[in-house]
Amino acid sequence: MTLTQADIDGELAEIRAGHEKARAAGAPAAHHPPRDFPPYRSSLLRHPKQPLVAVHGDPETVELSGPVFGRTDVTELGHDLTRQHAGEPLGERITVSGRLLDRAGRPVRGQLVELWQANASGRYAHRRDQHPAPLDPNFTGVGRVLTGDDGSYRFTTIKPGAYPWRNHENAWRPAHIHFSLFGSAFTQRLVTQMYFPGDPLLAYDPILQSVTDDAARARLVAAYDHSLSRPERSLGYRWDIVLDGPCATWIEEGR
């Protein structure tokens, strides 16, 4: 039996109704969806089924096999994905800026922020991406920057295109950018996604819709900010990332 978008919509509606009923009965808002979210089919196959295993002994030994990031690893062009190659990439240039904050709204300084994304045609520069859309030789789709003293970050990039995926028949992911946040150690890593306002595919995406709380889901959508737009260069979007507390940004590890 082929799973259709109508089937997914029905499942999402049922889950959303259950969430609203629980909220009406006094349950707290579900800022993070379960790790096994049925409309997001692959989450049923790959989510952890056993409790996490504690690492005993020296905790630093966990980090010895992982990369170590220093300030010299963040290059001058790390924040501008449109200038990393010999030519200009294709697509709509955008500037994405915001602040990394804690639950009290205080800036989180000197943190490594990385992003990766598809190109304007909806294809990643990755050998496993076999979507028959063109690659862009002038766009790799990865960048990194350190937050400033005020917790701010800024990237100049290309607005990514939507792309198909095999969750169900005629499934399309809305335009989005993946963000990775590092703390003071490699094991302190959080991953999330940023979406764009007014995208008609937002309502059909099981990954975004797995965040059943309306306010939490809205925090994943950036806001157009004309003050961030650069004349004759790029349109601006503002997106703050809150690490914890009642206004926290949804993090994929919370699934």
Side-chain angles (χ1 to χ4, degrees):
M1 179 180 176
T2 301
L3 192 68
T4 67
Q5 184 66 54
D7 297 324
I8 295 295
D9 291 344
E11 292 180 5
L12 291 172
E14 184 177 350
I15 293 171
R16 192 172 297 113
H19 173 72
E20 293 174 354
K21 182 178 180 180
R23 289 282 287 151
H31 295 290
H32 296 286
R35 290 183 171 88
D36 52 339
F37 189 73
Y40 182 7
R41 284 299 188 263
S42 62
S43 69
L44 301 176
L45 304 174
R46 65 186 183 188
H47 77 281
K49 296 180 173 63
Q50 300 294 330
L52 298 178
V53 177
V55 177
H56 300 288
D58 185 358
E60 292 187 359
T61 59
V62 178
E63 301 173 23
L64 295 180
S65 60
V68 178
F69 298 102
R71 291 181 179 273
T72 57
D73 295 314
V74 181
T75 66
E76 179 184 355
L77 298 181
H79 73 285
D80 191 340
L81 283 67
T82 68
R83 297 172 55 209
Q84 296 175 349
H85 298 276
E88 288 278 355
L90 299 174
E92 176 187 327
R93 296 185 193 88
I94 60 173
T95 296
V96 179
S97 183
R99 299 176 70 204
L100 184 62
L101 306 168
D102 66 12
R103 66 164 57 212
R106 296 171 297 199
V108 183
R109 306 174 178 86
Q111 302 302 294
L112 180 65
V113 180
E114 296 181 317
L115 66 75
W116 67 96
Q117 62 170 92
N119 65 19
S121 298
R123 186 169 178 181
Y124 290 94
H126 193 285
R127 67 179 63 183
R128 294 187 62 184
D129 188 347
Q130 298 302 309
H131 173 34
L135 289 170
D136 187 339
N138 293 313
F139 189 76
T140 306
V142 293
R144 52 173 37 185
V145 71
L146 292 170
T147 57
D149 288 341
D150 59 350
S152 63
Y153 72 89
R154 180 186 295 259
F155 290 99
T156 299
T157 183
I158 296 296
K159 186 174 182 180
Y163 59 81
W165 62 311
R166 297 178 179 178
N167 188 71
H168 55 277
E169 184 182 45
N170 201 23
W172 288 82
R173 291 234 59 210
H176 61 280
I177 296 177
H178 300 269
F179 277 77
S180 168
L181 313 166
F182 282 96
S184 58
F186 180 69
T187 52
Q188 298 173 347
R189 189 192 190 203
L190 301 175
V191 177
T192 186
Q193 299 180 30
M194 185 203 86
Y195 298 85
F196 292 86
D199 191 327
L201 291 174
L202 296 181
Y204 301 102
D205 183 45
I207 297 180
L208 177 61
Q209 294 301 321
S210 69
V211 184
T212 50
D213 182 71
D214 292 341
R217 190 168 60 253
R219 291 196 291 271
L220 294 176
V221 181
Y224 174 72
D225 188 334
H226 199 66
S227 66
L228 293 176
S229 296
R230 296 173 56 193
E232 302 182 33
R233 178 65 181 173
S234 64
L235 295 180
Y237 292 89
R238 183 172 300 280
W239 192 57
D240 292 339
I241 304 171
V242 181
L243 295 179
D244 57 5
C247 294
T249 303
W250 173 72
I251 299 299
E252 291 185 9
E253 279 76 0
R255 232 182 342 95

